[in-house]
Amino acid sequence: MRARRSFEGGNVKHFRWLICLLAVLALVAAACGGNDDDDSGASAPDAAPTEAPEPMDDDMGDDSMDDSMDDDMGADDMGDDSMDDDMGDDSMDDDMGDDDMGDDSMDDSTDDDMDDEEAEPVATEEPEVDPCANVELEATDIGITSDTITVLVMADVGSPLAPGLFQGSIDGVKAWADHVNSEGGLACRQIEVLEHDSAINPTETTNGFLVACENAFALVGTTALFALDTTDLQSCPDAHGNDIGVPDFAYITTEPPHQCSVVTFATSRPNSECPYAGSGARTTQSMVGHVQWLQENIEPDLNGVYLVPSDLPSTIATSMPQVRSFQEIGIVIDGEPGISGFTTQSEYGAFIQIMRDNNSNFAYSGSDDQSMIKWRSEAEAQGFDADDAIWMCQLACYTPSFLEAGDVIEGTYTWIWFLPFDEAEHNQELADFMEAIDNPFPAAWAAGSWADGVLFENVVNGVVAEVGPNGLTRQAVLDGARNLTSFDVNGWWSPADYSTTQNIMPCFMLMQVQNNEFVRVYPEAAGELDCNADNVVELSRDWAAEFGG
């Protein structure tokens, strides 16, 4: 058993709680984009029960038929030797199977439901095979027993710098596991969930990887900001001593070592080229569809300020591709000042001045909801007419606390890459999540970790379908995840390609705060996302060097 590493006290005291949140938010900003195959809105499928067809009357006259066959058949008696006029001269209804009728007789097989003695046998679907039937389940790998699958969820929760920061990730995984177990389990087994607090601490994050290596089949819902070293994650031995690593179904991956880990599959996509040494040029894709919508529907000539969370190299590196992609589609950037979680509201006055000096009509925060609240509050205090600019934020503003700011944030746009929480009637997976999480407005982290669970579930089901429940191993799951080119959380999220780290999730939807509510703006129809191929811009730069402050 590998020894857990001890905490080195000097590492974390410089990490401030909001800095960590900003790291996530900056990553989130780069998490969507275009689709090479589809330039139209994509609709998440509605779940609907399949109704069995009504059976036909078994009693048919010796010398007569109903006026028509199948469900549309009338009740009038047919002549002994003739068909109803509506049937055509010598043919039966299309649904009868054989078009040609004899003068005085019917075809041997008129309709499958007619009980003709000479009717040909009806082809029926093979009954679904229960993979658990007549199988003596075995312990097939670390974290797998004959009746349980153990997963570990690791999240930054217990640090005094940000108590409870990503508790939603733990809640989401546990809700997913409870839901799956209530539906009969996974791979003929029940899911057990271990928890590990990474505590906004790179050493404790590494310890979490070691705990998973020794005790869990896979990590699900990983939400740790400082995964700076993934060596142990990628080299962990399986039950047979093969150093293949632990499957890691993560929500966020902020650091390049985690983004490029060969055993990590993040629902919030890295969107960037791997492998990557940590410096120099890196090809990255960015979503611009939400801003293009503004150009096409609100104001074609946008110029303004983009606030860059700049406390950490990773937050800069994930923000700058979007800044440059905005410029690529014609938006003039009047300023790209760096901000911190400790930037006070009064300090936002300098950003308002930049907007005044340049007649800016666009204001975009790459940070969190509190950043936008401070910015708009200071604009109001400075007498800047809020209607003179379009204010936009990312997923980080899709929170109850943002709405609590009241009138000051009225009109702010925000975009996300999954169906919003109030559209559960349009997607069964979203409905299951909302019921299980039991919160009318849950944290985005909970949605992300639930999505991780569904991803893991999908891959495991694929393994079981191919080789049976006793073929479930870490290697089989890693192979299955690496070959998954499109996964959309059962229609709830934008589809993602897990065979690469570079392709981004191709869809988005846009909301605006109206009368203290998030209101869908585009696409207009509930249950839909925009997946236009033109939504994405791909650029290659040294992103750390792009930032001028």
Side-chain angles (χ1 to χ4, degrees):
M1 180 178 292
R2 302 186 184 188
R4 297 181 68 196
R5 301 181 182 177
S6 62
F7 167 61
E8 298 171 6
N11 274 349
V12 175
K13 65 181 180 180
H14 300 295
F15 298 142
R16 295 167 292 185
W17 74 270
L18 194 49
I19 293 174
C20 302
L21 184 56
L22 293 176
V24 179
L25 303 172
L27 174 72
V28 165
C32 288
N35 186 326
D36 292 335
D37 299 322
D38 187 4
D39 22 55
S40 62
S43 176
D46 291 340
T50 301
E51 296 184 0
E54 295 184 5
M56 292 184 57
D57 190 349
D58 290 338
D59 185 15
M60 299 191 63
D62 291 340
D63 299 316
S64 64
M65 292 184 59
D66 239 3
D67 282 346
S68 62
M69 305 304 297
D70 216 326
D71 293 337
D72 295 330
M73 298 178 68
D76 293 338
D77 184 78
M78 295 176 60
D80 289 345
D81 300 315
S82 63
M83 303 295 295
D84 187 44
D85 292 341
D86 292 339
M87 294 180 62
D89 291 338
D90 295 310
S91 64
M92 302 293 293
D93 189 285
D94 290 340
D95 292 336
M96 293 177 60
D98 192 330
D99 292 338
D100 187 37
M101 297 285 300
D103 290 340
D104 298 316
S105 64
M106 295 181 55
D107 194 277
D108 286 343
S109 61
T110 55
D111 186 90
D112 290 341
D113 296 328
M114 290 184 60
D115 294 337
D116 193 310
E117 292 180 359
E118 297 180 13
E120 295 180 3
V122 178
T124 58
E125 292 185 4
E126 292 292 330
E128 185 174 338
V129 177
D130 181 2
C132 305
N134 303 318
V135 175
E136 184 176 348
L137 296 174
E138 302 171 357
T140 58
D141 210 329
I142 294 172
I144 300 281
T145 71
S146 60
D147 54 9
T148 62
I149 298 175
T150 299
V151 300
L152 182 141
V153 52
M154 177 168 65
D156 294 333
V157 174
S159 170
L161 302 173
L165 179 60
F166 293 134
Q167 179 63 45
S169 291
I170 294 176
D171 296 340
V173 171
K174 293 171 73 174
W176 162 77
D178 288 344
H179 173 73
V180 172
N181 287 339
S182 72
E183 295 288 319
L186 183 62
C188 315
R189 301 166 173 91
Q190 293 285 288
I191 302 170
E192 293 187 347
V193 179
L194 302 177
E195 303 174 29
H196 183 83
D197 181 9
S198 42
I200 318 178
N201 179 341
T203 302
E204 199 55 47
T205 300
T206 297
N207 283 336
F209 292 148
L210 291 170
V211 171
C213 175
E214 296 162 1
N215 300 288
F217 181 63
L219 290 117
V220 177
T222 306
T223 315
L225 297 177
F226 293 103
L228 303 178
D229 184 354
T230 57
T231 303
D232 294 309
L233 176 68
Q234 297 183 86
S235 63
C236 170
D238 64 7
H240 302 289
N242 303 309
D243 293 339
I244 63 168
V246 187
D248 174 30
F249 296 89
Y251 176 48
I252 60 166
T253 53
T254 57
E255 298 291 341
H258 201 192
Q259 293 174 350
C260 293
S261 161
V262 296
V263 299
T264 297
F265 312 94
T267 52
S268 183
R269 308 300 294 141
N271 311 334
S272 298
E273 177 186 15
C274 283
Y276 179 62
S279 61
R282 190 182 191 192
T283 301
T284 300
Q285 296 179 347
S286 297
M287 163 64 86
V288 296
H290 54 303
V291 179
Q292 286 178 327
W293 185 90
L294 296 177
Q295 292 174 307
E296 295 167 2
N297 295 274
I298 308 296
E299 172 55 58
D301 299 316
L302 292 174
N303 67 287
V305 174
Y306 188 115
L307 302 186
V308 178
S310 56
D311 291 290
L312 299 170
S314 60
T315 63
I316 295 172
T318 51
S319 294
M320 293 311 299
Q322 188 154 68
V323 179
R324 296 294 174 257
S325 70
F326 286 179
Q327 291 177 310
E328 194 76 8
I329 62 170
I331 296 175
V332 176
I333 301 298
D334 299 325
E336 50 191 53
I339 60 170
S340 164
F342 286 107
T343 302
T344 64
Q345 179 179 314
S346 62
E347 290 176 299
Y348 279 75
F351 315 143
I352 300 299
Q353 190 59 50
I354 295 174
M355 296 175 69
R356 280 201 170 105
D357 292 342
N358 293 276
N359 293 318
S360 299
N361 58 13
F362 182 57
Y364 192 103
S365 176
S367 185
D368 66 344
D369 54 354
Q370 298 305 307
S371 168
M372 181 58 80
I373 291 171
K374 290 177 184 178
W375 198 2
R376 296 211 57 178
S377 297
E378 186 61 20
E380 183 177 73
Q382 297 265 342
F384 184 89
D385 190 343
D387 294 335
D388 288 345
I390 298 171
W391 305 83
M392 180 169 273
C393 195
Q394 53 208 20
L395 173 64
C397 287
Y398 184 47
T399 64
S401 59
F402 190 60
L403 295 180
E404 289 170 3
D407 293 343
V408 73
I409 48 88
E410 180 73 9
T412 303
Y413 289 94
T414 188
W415 64 279
I416 60 177
W417 57 90
F418 52 83
L419 300 182
F421 299 137
D422 61 353
E423 295 186 5
E425 70 273 18
H426 295 279
N427 179 265
Q428 187 59 53
E429 192 65 53
L430 173 55
D432 290 343
F433 166 72
M434 293 301 292
E435 180 179 3
I437 205 69
D438 195 24
N439 183 339
F441 204 144
W445 329 124
S449 63
W450 175 287
D452 287 332
V454 178
L455 173 60
F456 173 67
E457 179 184 352
N458 180 276
V459 174
V460 168
N461 284 338
V463 172
V464 172
E466 184 174 353
V467 296
N470 284 332
L472 189 60
T473 64
R474 284 175 173 172
Q475 185 65 64
V477 166
L478 288 171
D479 291 342
R482 289 165 182 158
N483 291 322
L484 190 60
T485 58
S486 182
F487 178 71
D488 63 2
V489 196
N490 295 323
W492 177 15
W493 286 45
S494 170
D497 179 0
Y498 289 91
S499 67
T500 175
T501 60
Q502 190 165 319
N503 292 345
I504 56 183
M505 292 190 291
C507 311
F508 80 97
M509 63 87 60
L510 187 64
M511 295 178 285
Q512 186 183 35
V513 178
Q514 299 177 10
N515 298 318
N516 207 41
E517 294 181 352
F518 289 105
V519 176
R520 173 186 275 270
V521 173
Y522 177 79
E524 292 184 4
E528 291 190 359
L529 301 171
D530 180 303
C531 301
N532 195 296
D534 295 333
N535 289 341
V536 62
V537 166
E538 181 175 285
L539 299 171
S540 182
R541 310 275 177 84
D542 183 343
W543 297 114
E546 285 292 306
F547 178 58

